[in-house]
Amino acid sequence: MRMVDIIEKKRNGEELTTEEIRFFVDGYTDGSIPDYQVSSLMMAIYFQDMNERERADLTMAMVESGDQIDLSGIEGIKVDKHSTGGVGDTTTLSLAAMVAAVGVPVAKMSGRGLGHTGGTIDKLESIKGFHVELSNEQFMKQVNEIGTAVIGQSGNLTPADKKLYALRDVTGTVPSIPLIASSIMSKKIAAGADAIVLDVKTGDGAFMKTYEDAKALAQAMVQIGNNVGRKTMAIISDMSQPLGFAIGNALEVKEAIDTLKGNGPKDLMELCYTLGSQMIVLGNKAKSLEEARVLLEEVVQNGKALDVFKKFITAQGGDASVVDDPSLLPQAKFQIELPAKQSGYVEKIEADDVGVAAMLLGAGRATKESTIDLAVGLVLHKKVGDSVKDGESLVTIHSNKEDIPEVIEKLYKHIIISNEPVEAPTLIKDIIK
Ligand code: URA
Ligand code: CA
């Protein structure tokens, strides 16, 4: 087989066979096919697309390019959740405990963040003593006993995706539905999920800015999952403004605890119930999304979800007393209010820029080497559509520096107040199953 023939075939709009897809993925992974040929093929795929079968084949070729995690030591259907990423998204922390409390095991492999705030692991590390260094045996034992565990990324998962993504990044071939969908799905499948729930975000703070693009990606991923034997569902959710109120690591842990107590922000609670319902249906613990939601509301109301969270923290070395006393979490030196400059209605809280403001405080990493300040961040007091009075605080800024003119300027610029009433955006824009 010759790579040039595969490139020409795709360039001409023809379908690649399973063997041809396998050939270029394996050849690129082992270095026998050079960057320039693969970049040419990526561009051909960008323009000519891939059909359903090719997308499934590409996904599985990437899965099989490296290690696959074997979770068969865990009883039950292992359902994983993936979000395409947003600002202030604390969902995983609450969701894992909620879903585990209903009886669906959540065995999570997570990363650190490169972005506005840390990733799930960074956030959890704001709890004193918490660590993710578990052996595979400890990891599975904990999931069997408590219902959930979080472990850091280990092993050589989807090396083909790592190389392809890095190449696409510098060749203008990232925004291609078959390439994005197979990239994301390959990682979830290699991490051992039996079933997958996807939260595809749309809006200013999301990877997919428009609803149409988000929907196309969600449908592509659901199709891939189902075609390769992993039951998959998706939602499309709003990321035009940050999720919940808190943006920042320890601040988001507190928000997750509030959510598990049933007192979380309305949007975060709703998102947890919506995604959790899908996870419970896929985990075979309820027949319908409606039935699943009732089960989730129950474990929040009767404290079982919070109890799972405490056990999970303790099992991984953390101090679970933060659950009853969140003031034990790292605290920033200064709490600076941002007063509204006029009365009116909140028209926009631009997720991306507000996220950058949190990063400037130190809540996120600008580069892989940066360290994060777990205590700092933002707590919003308003969401889009809320009314506001002149002088009322829009945000409490948690900072370890007293003088933060660039953060204040950014927040004023990107929190927009209108004189006219504004409608709140719909959080759950679509459910795809
Ligand atoms: N995220 C991924 O993991 N892969 C892509 O291709 C794009 C976004
Ligand atoms: Ca939040």
Side-chain angles (χ1 to χ4, degrees), residues 40 55 64 82-83 90 155 159 217 223 265-266 395 432:
S40 175
R55 293 174 182 196
E64 286 157 22
H82 177 80
S83 151
T90 325
L217 178 61
Q223 220 168 47
K266 218 170 101 220
V395 183
I432 294 161

Side-chain angles (χ1 to χ4, degrees), residues 30 53 65 79 84 110 155 185 296 329 337 340 346 356 366 383:
D30 70 20
R53 198 217 88 249
S65 71
V79 187
T84 57
S110 257
M185 291 302 284
L296 285 166
L329 288 163
E337 303 301 331
V346 178
V356 171
K383 300 284 286 191

